[in-house]
Amino acid sequence: MGDPLTQRQHRVLQTIERFVQDEGYTPSVREIGSVLGLAPATVQQHLEVLERKGYIRRSGQSHGIEVLSGGMPGGVVNVPIVGEIAAGAPIDAYEERLDTIAVAADMSPNGSAYALRVRGDSMIEDHICDGDIVIVEPVSTVRDGEIGVAMLDDGAVTLKRIFREADRVRLQPANADMAPIYAEDVRVQGRVTSIMRRL
């Protein structure tokens, strides 16, 4: 599987693609930096990562960036970031489509995956931190102990490990300082398949 991109790497790649569409040639490091408000050295670092991950090829010339559409096995798909999810106290349900993030196509096998931005730190022991983006496969059931997107009766949504007990559901945080949430029933909205971290 190809390495997913951070948000900023994705924005650098998008900037290059848009520039090519608009201008007919690839931008220079300085032009990318001016669009994104980044220093040339920072742009260089992102380009090095994009090249290493197989998204672009550079010739060393000023405008010598080639975008490789088949940079990943199976290609790249843009997954919609549809809102925020609480890793903590539940927050109201998400629906608006805020942005997209580029991931390897095999992370969204039937094109249905979506992404949510994490708020809170109830899952930090599972290495899911405030501000991370989780890629979610829409499913209506998960195996006991899997990290899922759970909707409670009042429509609030939270990210937890889901366990079915005799007469209730336990939504277990991955943070020793936080207590589990118990509910008679939850509607599973999806299973977390990947975590993406901002740089």
Side-chain angles (χ1 to χ4, degrees):
M1 183 172 83
D3 291 332
L5 296 180
T6 65
Q7 244 180 313
R8 189 162 283 178
Q9 290 159 8
H10 181 224
R11 279 177 52 211
V12 170
L13 186 62
Q14 272 188 325
T15 301
I16 297 167
E17 289 171 339
R18 284 189 188 133
F19 193 96
V20 171
Q21 283 170 357
D22 295 345
E23 306 294 335
Y25 58 90
T26 54
S28 66
V29 169
R30 199 166 298 285
E31 285 164 333
I32 296 168
S34 70
V35 170
L36 293 172
L38 299 174
T42 307
V43 174
Q44 285 285 12
Q45 289 172 344
H46 287 309
L47 293 177
E48 283 164 20
V49 174
L50 288 170
E51 187 168 36
R52 197 170 65 240
K53 289 183 175 182
Y55 287 91
I56 63 170
R57 186 185 298 132
R58 295 186 298 168
S59 69
Q61 308 298 316
S62 168
H63 292 270
I65 300 169
E66 179 189 352
V67 177
L68 304 173
S69 55
M72 286 186 169
V76 181
V77 293
N78 283 326
V79 170
I81 302 172
V82 297
E84 296 185 340
I85 187 163
I91 55 177
D92 288 339
Y94 45 82
E95 60 273 321
E96 79 273 37
R97 182 182 176 128
L98 301 176
D99 199 357
T100 61
I101 189 163
V103 300
D106 60 3
M107 290 165 79
S108 181
N110 52 8
S112 62
Y114 60 92
L116 293 165
R117 195 179 309 281
V118 175
R119 286 282 162 256
D121 54 9
S122 72
M123 299 302 287
I124 53 174
E125 288 159 21
D126 279 329
H127 309 291
I128 301 175
C129 304
D130 186 70
D132 286 353
I133 288 176
V134 289
I135 308 298
V136 180
E137 176 192 0
V139 294
S140 56
T141 181
V142 295
R143 290 198 296 273
D144 259 19
E146 285 188 313
I147 300 173
V149 175
M151 181 180 278
L152 306 176
D153 285 343
D154 59 2
V157 180
T158 189
L159 190 70
K160 296 284 183 289
R161 287 195 178 273
I162 300 174
F163 294 90
R164 297 196 180 283
E165 299 183 346
D167 55 352
R168 62 184 182 178
V169 178
R170 172 166 49 98
L171 302 176
Q172 183 67 43
N175 182 331
D177 296 333
M178 295 190 175
I181 296 171
Y182 293 100
E184 281 186 25
D185 195 30
V186 300
R187 286 202 303 283
V188 174
Q189 305 281 298
R191 174 194 303 116
V192 171
T193 59
S194 296
I195 303 155
M196 314 197 61
R197 174 129 321 139
R198 295 175 310 177
L199 280 183

